[in-house]
Amino acid sequence: MGGAEGEVKQEEMVIVGAGICGLATALAFHRKGIRCIVLERAESLRSSGVAITILPNGWRALHQLNVASILRKTACPILGTKDIWLDKNKQKDMPFISGEARCLKRSDLIDTLYHALPPDVVKFGHQIISVKLDPQTSYPMVQLQDGSFIAAKVLIGCDGAKSTVADFLELKPTKLFDLCSIRGLTNYPNCHPFAHDSVRMRRNNVSVGRIPIDSKLVYWFVAHPWMQADNIASVDTELIRQYTFNLVKGFPKDVVEMVKNSDLDSLCSTRIRYRAPWDLLLGSFRKGTVTVAGDAMHVMGPYLGQGGSVGLEDAIVLARNLAKTMSSTPTDPTNVKEAIDHYVKERRMRIVQLSTQTYLTGLLIAESTSLLVKFACIVLMVILFRKASGQTKYDCGTL
């Protein structure tokens, strides 16, 4: 753990959370020659999350981190998208023409980012329980579960939707969609029969998505209105599989078999959280020299497949803005605050746009949304987001 109770360690930069955004942020600073440490509460890398789609804007960020070429070898490109309405016997096929997109195993992405870092950067078994500002220096003080403290010149919270650092910044609590997502992986030892397309099927109030990762491994999800039973099923992977099996009855045979043969260890069930667009527009993302990135800043529903890619963008933009200030000796806290403000300004409208598009999409999908609200959502989507894939053209720039 961190050390003796009451002990205070000094660090230049501390990142909380060794998830995708935390590791990417650490790697971005490493590429700029700036030392940082990452505090991870788990005792080892966390591979939960199953898989993640990285869209063209995310690949631009991975290229800046010098890991894109490694990750391309782990997954095949997505060549097209299919939307299938089983109830209406209707299908819409579209080639994927917006640029590179692949579905990566989350563990492949995490491992690649981690191994690109020096071996002493990530500190496992370090759970933070509070953040406060030192009254003398105004720098953040992080208290660990073992009672020790770390004083940092910069603190970056990449600790997810239930972020301790976001709580310190007094960001509004995340909200819940009335939607549950069950995700898993299925391995086909003799190769699966599916084209390398992102397929989404709908029947009644259940949606099934399927994206091949490579010739043998397929990522899938089942989304449905949240019920109290989801809380019970989520604690046991065998229960999750049986519960999901019942949800997909009536879907094509290959979907039923995919769920039936899924890897038990990969299964997870979560209720979808989000930060409201108006909270992102008005929230304060800096206090002193503390800020947030990734889901801690802008957790959103999975409807656009942008969560991971946007977190990678955050890493590049944050490192670019802070690098010049952090490389000077001694570090001037006023300059650090200005650099964080530039980062926040650069990111705010980007994440507001994405969260708005995601929020409207979620309302359209939700069973509980009234017809009048759905009509208003459609009008807003047509006005604001005429091109559904327009967000993938965003370029976060160079490190």
Side-chain angles (χ1 to χ4, degrees), residues 72-79 101-104 196 212-215:
R72 285 189 181 102
K73 298 173 185 176
T74 69
C76 297
I78 299 170
L79 302 178
R102 298 171 196 260
C103 183
L104 305 179
H196 286 276
I213 293 175
D214 55 29
S215 61

Side-chain angles (χ1 to χ4, degrees), residues 385-399:
F385 308 109
R386 187 174 295 274
K387 291 187 177 180
S389 62
Q391 302 288 6
T392 68
K393 296 179 181 178
Y394 181 86
D395 189 340
C396 62
T398 61
L399 264 176

Side-chain angles (χ1 to χ4, degrees), residues 15-33:
I15 297 167
V16 182
I20 292 168
C21 184
L23 292 173
T25 302
L27 183 54
F29 282 111
H30 174 61
R31 297 289 187 222
K32 298 295 287 184

Side-chain angles (χ1 to χ4, degrees), residues 121-172:
V121 169
V122 181
K123 312 296 182 185
F124 293 106
H126 285 59
Q127 181 168 354
I128 74 166
I129 60 173
S130 69
V131 180
K132 61 182 180 181
L133 297 182
D134 186 304
Q136 294 180 329
T137 65
S138 294
Y139 283 132
M141 294 276 290
V142 176
Q143 183 178 6
L144 302 180
Q145 193 173 40
D146 66 355
S148 63
F149 290 85
I150 296 177
K153 291 185 177 177
V154 178
L155 178 65
I156 302 165
C158 300
D159 45 342
K162 299 177 182 179
S163 167
T164 302
V165 181
D167 289 343
F168 166 76
L169 294 175
E170 300 179 88
L171 297 183
K172 293 288 181 67

